Amino acid sequence: MTATSSSKAFTEFYRMIFKELPRHAGGMLFVGLCAGYVYLPELSLVWLSVWWSTIAGLSAYLVFAGRQWIKKLPSEISYQYIERQLALVFFLQGIVFSLPPLWVGNPELVTLLMINVLVMLSGVMLFVRFRLFIAFVIPFVSIYIRAATGTADSLIVAVLVIVYLITIIAVYRASQLSSRLIMDRELVHYLNHKLEERDVLKTRDLESSQLRLQMAITASDMGIWDWNVQNRETYLTEGSRLVPPRDETGDYDYVDWIHPEDYLKAKAELFRHLKGKTASYRVRYRVKNNSGQGWLWVEDTGRAIERDQHGRVTRMIGTRREVTSEVNHEQDLSLAASLFNHSDDAIFVMSYDFIVQSVNPAYCRIMHANRTELINKPFANISASPQAYLVMSSLNHKGYWQGEILEKRYNGESFPFKCRIDGIFDSNGQLSHYIAIGSDMTEVRRSQVEIDYLSNYDKLTGLANRSHFHQVLNRHLKNPQAASDSLAIVVVNLDRFQAINDSLGYETGDLLLKDIASRITNMPSPAAFCARVGGDEFVVIAEFFGSRDKLNRLLDNILMEISRPVLADEHELIVTASIGVSILDGQNRHQLLNQASIALNRARQKGGNTYEYYQKTFKQASVDRLQLEKSLRRAIAENELSVNYQPKLNLMTGRIDSVEALVRWHHKSLGLIEPEHFIPIAEEIGLINAMGEQVLYKACDEASIWQQRGFGNIRVSVNLSSHQLRQEGLYDSIYNILQTSELPAEYLELELTESVLIENMDHSVNTLNRLHALGTKIALDDFGTGYSSFSYLQKLPIDVLKIDKSFLHSQASGAGDTAIIKAIIAMANSMSMEVVAEGVENNEQLQFLKDQGCHYAQGYLVSQPLPASEILNLLRHYNYQPTSSIERVH
C-alpha cells in the first residue's frame, strides 16, 4: 500500500464519519424531544430544560467538530484524535439518555429509548475500536438491573438481550476491522516514512550533484546552452565571459559579439548540423572580451536532441568553453612544427637513452637518408663517428654538448657536422629527451677557403692583395739576409688608365689589367713577389742583393712589357706606366711602400712611362705639396683667387668684343703660382668645383660692369673642367650667377676640351643643351689635338671651335698643319660655327687667319692675360682707333 492510497482511504473514512455526524446529531435531537414529551408529566420543567440543553449542546458539538475535521489535511488529523472525540461524545450521550428513564422508572420508555439509541449508533460503531463499547455498557447494565428486579417484563428483556448480543457481535467485527485498519495505517505510516527518507536522500543527492555540476562549470569556465529552435529561445548559464551581451529586445546579440571573420563560418557549421549533415555541432570562433580588450577563442559543442515529425530540429543542447590558451598552444605547436620541418638547420630529437625519435627534412637531406632509416636507431649507429661516444659521455655528465664532429652520410661520404645538443627536462625535473640542432659545414669550409683566398688575393688578377703583400713583405724584412741595398719595393701605376675605363668601359679595363698582371708576374729575377694593391697599381718585391744593374734591367723590362700592345675586347691598346722605387737602407723598413709611392708621383709628374728612385729630397717636396694644398684650401675659402683676361680680336671688325677668363693665384709668401701647378691639385682634392664657381662669378660680374660703364658688350669665356661638367647642379649654379651678376646669357661663353666631353657623352649632351637653351655660347677648346670626331660635333650644341696653338706654331714649316687649319676653318664655316685661333704671335699668322676666314685671333700679338683693371685700357686702344695695322701693345 502506497502513501497515496492510504491517505486517500483515511480521507474517505473521516469524510464518511463527517456525513454521519449531522444525521446522528439530528436523530439525537429528535429522540430528545420525543423523550421529553414522554417525560413531561413526570419531570419538572427545569430538569427537562436542562436535559434538552445538554442534548442540543452535544449535537452542536458534533456538527462543529465535523466541520473542523473536514477543513484540515489528512496529514494534520490522526485516527486517535477522531476516536477520542467520538468516545467522549458517545459516553456523554449514553449517560444523558440513560438517566431520565431510570429516574422516571418506566421500563417501556427505557426500552424504546435504548433500542433507538442502539440503532442510531450501530452504523457508527462498525468503524471504531472495541473500547467504544464501554460507552454503551452503562445503559445496558441499567436495563439488566431493572429486568432482574422485576421492573420490566420478560419480553422486553429478551428483546434487549438479542439486541445486545447483535450489538456485541457487530462491535466485535468492527473491532477486528479497526485492528486491520490500524495495521494498515501503521504499515502506510512506515512506508510513508521510508518514502520520505528516500525522497530526502534523492533530493540531497540531486542538490549535491547540481552543486558539483555548477562548481565544475564555474571552475572550468564552461557555459551550458539550451536552444529551443521553434520558439527561438536560448538558455545560457549566466555570469560567464562566454555569454554574449543582450540587445534592446533582450535577446542575445551574436552578430556584434562574434568576430566578423568567424561569424559566417560558425553560422554555416550550425546550418550544416541542423540539416543533418553532421552528427554533432562543433565550431571554434572568436568573441569579444567582456573587458573590451582583444578577442577570446571559444568552442561550441552540441547536438540536436529533439526533432518534430518532419525531422526538423526543435531543440539543441550543448556546451561552450574558452579555448584561447588551447588555440595559442596549437598555434605555437604549429609554428614549432613548421620551424622544425622548414628549418635549414638539421634537427633531431633523441630519447634519454640516445635513441633517435624524430628528425627534420634538413637532417635527412644532409644524411642522404629517408626518415625511416634514421628514427628508432641508436645515435651511435647513425653518427658512425668515433666521437659519438665522447658526445654521449659529455651529455651524461653535463646535460649538453657543443662542437663539431666528423659525420658520415649513408652513401659513405664524410662531412663536418657542427651542432649543439641540449637536454630537455619534464615538469618533475627528470631528463626526458635531447634535442640537437646543427648544420653541414662542408659549404662553410669551402666558403672559408674562398674567403681566405679573397682576403689574400685579388679576384680579378689572381695576384696577392694589399693585405697579403704586407704579410709577405714582413716575412722578407724578418729574413736575416734582408740587408741594406738588397731589397727594393717597386710600385707600378698605369698612365691614363681612367680614360680607358671611361671611354671603352670597365670590362675592357679589366681585361687590360689581367693582361698587365700576367706580364708583371712573369718577370724574371730579381722580381720575387708581385701584388695588386689598387685599381691600376701593382707592387713588386725585388731581391737584387746590391746589383743595381739587375734592378734597372727589371724596371726597363717592366716598362717595355707594359708598353707592348694589348688586345682587349677587339681593341688594341697601348699603355705606359709610371714606376716608383724604394730601396731598403736599414732605416726605412716601415716606410718602404710610402717612399715608393712618393717616387711614383714624381715619375707621373714627369709625364709617365719612366721610373724614379726615391730620394730624401722627395719627402720635402711631399711636405711642400701638403702645405700648398692647405694654402689652396684657405685661398678658395677666403676668396683670394683672382681672374686675368686675355682678349680675343674680332678679325672681321678689328675690335675686341670677347675675352677669356684665366684664374690666377698670388700666394702671400710664394708669389704668383702658375695654374698648371695648383689646378691639378684642386682637381685631386676636390676643390675644382668651388674654384670654377668663383672664377665664373667674377668673370660674369666684371663683364656686366664693363657693359654698365659703356665699354661695349664684351663676351667672356670661362673654362669648365670635367669635374664641373659632371656636377649635377651646374645648370642651376650658372643660372644663379647670371641672375646675380645681371649679365645676359648670350655674353657668357663656356669652353670645354674634347677629353672632357667624351668622358660622359650622354650627360654632356643633356647639360650643354640646357645651357645652350639658356642663351650661353659653347666653345670646343684645343680642337684637333684629341679624338676630333664629327659625330659629337653634330650631337653637341657647339658654337665656337678653338684651334690649338700647336697647329699655328708649325704652320710656317709644314704644309700639313696649314691644310688642317684651312680644313677646320672651312668645316666650321659650313656648320655656322665661329673659329678662334690660339697662340697668334706675329702679323703673318694673323694675315693668314684673316685670309682663311677665321673669326677671332687670340695670343700675345693681341695681348697677354691682364687683370681687370688693365684690360680697360686695351679695350679703348682697339675699339677706338683705325685697324689698318695691328701692333702689339702688351
Side-chain angles (χ1 to χ4, degrees):
M1 180 181 292
T2 63
T4 303
S5 60
S6 64
S7 176
K8 183 176 180 181
F10 180 71
T11 302
E12 292 178 354
F13 169 74
Y14 79 75
R15 285 184 181 275
M16 182 183 68
I17 294 298
F18 170 71
K19 291 179 181 179
E20 294 297 330
L21 286 179
R23 298 175 186 173
H24 181 71
M28 188 165 54
L29 288 173
F30 177 76
V31 173
L33 291 175
C34 292
Y37 178 75
V38 175
Y39 296 150
L40 184 59
E42 298 182 17
L43 291 176
S44 64
L45 185 62
V46 175
W47 283 107
L48 189 60
S49 298
V50 172
W51 189 63
W52 280 345
S53 298
T54 303
I55 293 173
L58 287 174
S59 300
Y61 176 76
L62 286 174
V63 175
F64 174 76
R67 292 185 180 277
Q68 292 298 320
W69 298 340
I70 200 66
K71 291 180 180 180
K72 294 184 179 181
L73 297 174
S75 60
E76 298 176 347
I77 301 175
S78 63
Y79 282 106
Q80 291 82 359
Y81 176 77
I82 296 175
E83 290 173 354
R84 284 194 300 270
Q85 294 296 319
L86 292 176
L88 177 61
V89 172
F90 293 160
F91 178 75
L92 292 176
Q93 178 180 311
I95 294 176
V96 170
F97 279 91
S98 299
L99 290 179
L102 293 178
W103 292 338
V104 172
N106 188 344
E108 291 79 6
L109 295 175
V110 173
T111 301
L112 292 173
L113 289 173
M114 290 301 101
I115 292 172
N116 194 14
V117 170
L118 290 174
V119 171
M120 291 173 55
L121 297 180
S122 61
V124 176
M125 285 188 296
L126 293 175
F127 299 96
V128 298
R129 291 191 177 188
F130 182 73
R131 64 176 177 270
L132 294 179
F133 182 71
I134 300 174
F136 303 95
V137 171
I138 294 175
F140 287 105
V141 171
S142 64
I143 294 174
Y144 178 76
I145 293 173
R146 291 285 301 267
T149 57
T151 56
D153 56 17
S154 58
L155 179 62
I156 296 175
V157 172
V159 172
L160 289 176
V161 171
I162 293 171
V163 172
Y164 181 68
L165 290 175
I166 294 171
T167 302
I168 290 174
I169 294 170
V171 170
Y172 176 74
R173 291 292 300 167
S175 177
Q176 288 182 336
L177 292 174
S178 176
S179 297
R180 186 178 301 171
L181 184 61
I182 291 172
M183 291 177 64
D184 291 341
R185 183 189 63 186
E186 290 177 353
L187 177 60
V188 169
H189 179 71
Y190 174 77
L191 292 176
N192 285 337
H193 179 68
K194 289 300 182 180
L195 288 174
E196 288 175 359
E197 287 183 352
R198 187 176 66 177
D199 290 342
V200 170
L201 291 177
K202 287 185 177 180
T203 302
R204 289 178 180 175
D205 291 342
L206 180 60
E207 291 175 352
S208 177
S209 298
Q210 290 177 344
L211 179 61
R212 286 195 298 270
L213 177 61
Q214 186 63 37
M215 292 174 62
I217 291 173
T218 303
S220 63
D221 201 14
M222 179 184 292
I224 297 176
W225 52 267
D226 187 349
W227 181 30
N228 189 320
V229 181
Q230 287 183 331
N231 299 335
R232 297 184 177 274
E233 294 179 355
T234 304
Y235 166 76
L236 288 171
T237 51
E238 299 289 344
S240 171
R241 291 180 300 166
L242 309 182
V243 177
R246 295 181 182 271
D247 57 17
E248 297 177 353
T249 62
D251 294 333
Y252 291 112
D253 187 1
Y254 284 94
V255 177
D256 292 336
W257 188 53
I258 300 178
H259 195 284
E261 296 179 0
D262 299 337
Y263 180 77
L264 294 179
K265 178 185 70 174
K267 186 176 181 181
E269 190 64 24
L270 177 61
F271 284 169
R272 291 181 70 244
H273 181 65
L274 292 176
K275 294 178 180 179
K277 295 182 179 181
T278 57
S280 62
Y281 166 69
R282 183 175 183 181
V283 65
R284 286 184 176 182
Y285 52 88
R286 288 164 290 179
V287 299
K288 287 182 180 178
N289 193 340
N290 291 340
S291 63
Q293 298 179 353
W295 299 86
L296 300 176
W297 278 98
V298 299
E299 181 183 72
D300 273 2
T301 304
R303 67 176 56 199
I305 61 172
E306 292 181 5
R307 297 178 183 270
D308 60 14
Q309 63 273 20
H310 302 290
R312 289 189 294 265
V313 176
T314 59
R315 186 181 179 189
M316 282 186 65
I317 193 168
T319 61
R320 178 177 296 146
R321 65 189 183 97
E322 182 186 351
V323 292
T324 303
S325 59
E326 293 182 21
V327 172
N328 293 337
H329 183 61
E330 290 173 0
Q331 291 175 349
D332 291 341
L333 290 178
S334 177
L335 179 60
S338 178
L339 291 174
F340 181 80
N341 292 321
H342 297 91
S343 174
D344 291 334
D345 291 327
I347 305 174
F348 62 91
V349 179
M350 300 183 294
S351 61
Y352 69 92
D353 54 352
F354 304 108
I355 303 299
V356 176
Q357 294 184 335
S358 180
V359 295
N360 74 336
Y363 187 70
C364 295
R365 286 195 300 270
I366 68 171
M367 293 297 291
H368 291 180
N370 55 46
R371 185 173 179 273
T372 57
E373 294 174 328
L374 297 174
I375 61 173
N376 298 325
K377 301 291 180 61
F379 172 68
N381 294 350
I382 294 179
S383 177
S385 171
Q387 299 169 279
Y389 293 98
L390 297 177
V391 173
M392 291 187 289
S393 175
S394 177
L395 290 173
N396 286 328
H397 288 84
K398 299 180 180 179
Y400 71 93
W401 180 86
Q402 182 175 2
E404 185 175 308
I405 60 177
L406 188 64
E407 287 279 25
K408 184 175 290 186
R409 309 187 205 275
Y410 262 53
N411 60 6
E413 176 187 356
S414 298
F415 68 98
F417 183 66
K418 183 178 181 179
C419 71
R420 178 182 177 90
I421 306 176
D422 292 284
I424 301 176
F425 298 86
D426 58 20
S427 58
N428 298 321
Q430 298 295 322
L431 178 67
S432 61
H433 294 84
Y434 291 102
I435 183 170
I437 303 176
S439 57
D440 184 355
M441 301 298 292
T442 303
E443 292 299 325
V444 176
R445 292 287 176 268
R446 186 180 295 113
S447 299
Q448 188 62 45
V449 171
E450 293 180 0
I451 291 173
D452 292 341
Y453 176 82
L454 293 176
S455 64
N456 290 284
Y457 293 91
D458 175 50
K459 186 176 181 180
L460 177 65
T461 62
L463 298 179
N465 59 15
R466 181 182 291 272
S467 175
H468 191 38
F469 164 76
H470 283 291
Q471 297 175 13
V472 175
L473 177 61
N474 290 333
R475 288 201 300 267
H476 276 82
L477 294 177
K478 291 178 182 179
N479 190 346
Q481 297 180 357
S484 300
D485 204 30
S486 64
L487 186 142
I489 298 299
V490 179
V491 179
V492 181
N493 186 269
L494 302 182
D495 299 329
R496 291 182 56 81
F497 176 74
Q498 187 62 39
I500 295 175
N501 271 344
D502 294 340
S503 59
L504 302 179
Y506 288 97
E507 292 81 4
T508 303
D510 289 345
L511 293 175
L512 174 63
L513 289 174
K514 291 172 67 174
D515 191 278
I516 297 299
S518 176
R519 296 180 185 187
I520 296 176
T521 304
N522 292 325
M523 285 291 136
S525 178
F529 183 79
C530 181
R532 182 191 178 200
V533 295
D536 60 339
E537 190 168 289
F538 302 87
V539 179
V540 177
I541 298 178
E543 295 178 329
F544 64 97
F545 300 109
S547 176
R548 290 291 183 93
D549 292 338
K550 255 188 189 181
L551 182 57
N552 290 335
R553 283 197 298 272
L554 173 64
L555 300 176
D556 290 333
N557 287 335
I558 292 176
L559 291 177
M560 182 179 65
E561 282 296 316
I562 291 176
S563 62
R564 285 194 299 108
V566 176
L567 184 62
D569 197 16
E570 299 182 355
H571 296 281
E572 186 177 16
L573 305 175
I574 298 177
V575 295
T576 59
S578 299
I579 300 176
V581 185
S582 176
I583 297 176
L584 179 65
D585 61 6
Q587 299 178 353
N588 62 347
R589 289 178 175 267
H590 302 293
Q591 291 87 31
L592 279 173
L593 185 59
N594 183 47
Q595 291 176 356
S597 297
I598 294 174
L600 171 66
N601 290 332
R602 291 301 294 263
R604 294 175 64 182
Q605 291 173 7
K606 288 184 176 182
N609 197 24
T610 186
Y611 57 85
E612 190 77 30
Y613 283 93
Y614 174 77
Q615 301 178 20
K616 292 182 180 180
T617 56
F618 291 172
K619 185 174 183 179
Q620 184 60 44
S622 299
V623 174
D624 294 342
R625 176 183 170 87
L626 291 176
Q627 292 295 330
L628 191 63
E629 291 179 6
K630 182 178 178 181
S631 299
L632 181 59
R633 292 180 186 274
R634 185 179 62 253
I636 294 175
E638 298 178 0
N639 201 16
E640 294 179 357
L641 300 179
S642 61
V643 178
N644 284 0
Y645 301 92
Q646 187 174 27
K648 291 184 283 186
L649 179 64
N650 190 328
L651 298 181
M652 304 301 172
T653 63
R655 301 168 63 88
I656 296 177
D657 58 10
S658 179
V659 295
E660 181 179 1
L662 301 171
V663 64
R664 294 292 184 266
W665 181 21
H666 292 273
H667 195 277
K668 293 180 179 179
S669 59
L670 300 178
L672 180 65
I673 300 178
E674 296 296 330
E676 57 267 21
H677 291 155
F678 66 84
I679 289 180
I681 296 177
E683 290 180 343
E684 290 180 14
I685 63 178
L687 296 176
I688 191 64
N689 291 336
M691 179 189 295
E693 190 170 344
Q694 285 188 10
V695 172
L696 184 63
Y697 176 76
K698 289 183 178 182
C700 292
D701 189 58
E702 290 289 350
S704 178
I705 293 175
W706 295 340
Q707 290 183 3
Q708 294 172 11
R709 294 179 61 182
F711 286 94
N713 296 325
I714 307 300
R715 186 168 65 192
V716 61
S717 299
V718 181
N719 290 281
L720 289 182
S721 67
S722 60
H723 296 275
Q724 288 176 280
L725 189 60
R726 289 195 297 266
Q727 184 183 359
E728 292 295 334
L730 177 62
Y731 174 85
D732 294 334
S733 176
I734 293 176
Y735 176 81
N736 292 333
I737 289 174
L738 290 174
Q739 294 295 318
T740 303
S741 64
E742 298 181 355
L743 178 68
E746 60 265 25
Y747 295 108
L748 174 61
E749 183 178 292
L750 302 175
E751 292 190 10
L752 304 99
T753 62
E754 294 177 275
S755 59
V756 170
L757 291 175
I758 66 172
E759 285 187 5
N760 191 342
M761 180 61 70
D762 293 337
H763 179 72
S764 300
V765 170
N766 183 49
T767 303
L768 294 180
N769 281 332
R770 294 183 66 196
L771 291 172
H772 193 265
L774 186 63
T776 60
K777 303 294 182 181
I778 308 298
L780 185 59
D781 197 10
D782 299 337
F783 183 75
T785 60
Y787 297 92
S788 301
S789 172
F790 288 102
S791 61
Y792 66 74
L793 289 179
Q794 294 174 342
K795 294 179 181 179
L796 296 171
I798 304 298
D799 299 297
V800 180
L801 290 181
K802 296 189 71 174
I803 302 175
D804 188 69
K805 60 184 178 180
S806 61
F807 293 106
L808 201 59
H809 290 169
S810 59
Q811 175 262 338
S813 60
D817 290 334
T818 301
I820 292 175
I821 294 173
K822 291 180 180 181
I824 293 174
I825 295 174
M827 180 193 66
N829 289 330
S830 66
M831 299 180 69
S832 301
M833 297 179 183
E834 294 180 354
V835 179
V836 178
E838 295 181 309
V840 179
E841 297 180 354
N842 54 60
N843 288 320
E844 289 78 9
Q845 294 173 342
L846 183 63
Q847 187 60 45
F848 171 75
L849 294 173
K850 291 177 65 175
D851 295 340
Q852 300 303 320
C854 184
H855 301 86
Y856 287 91
Q858 180 181 356
Y860 279 14
L861 178 64
V862 180
S863 174
Q864 64 183 11
L866 299 174
S869 58
E870 299 180 15
I871 195 67
L872 297 179
N873 293 328
L874 185 64
L875 292 177
R876 293 191 188 96
H877 175 75
Y878 272 94
N879 294 346
Y880 300 102
Q881 69 174 356
T883 57
S884 58
S885 64
I886 298 178
E887 297 180 358
R888 181 174 177 177
V889 296
H890 285 84

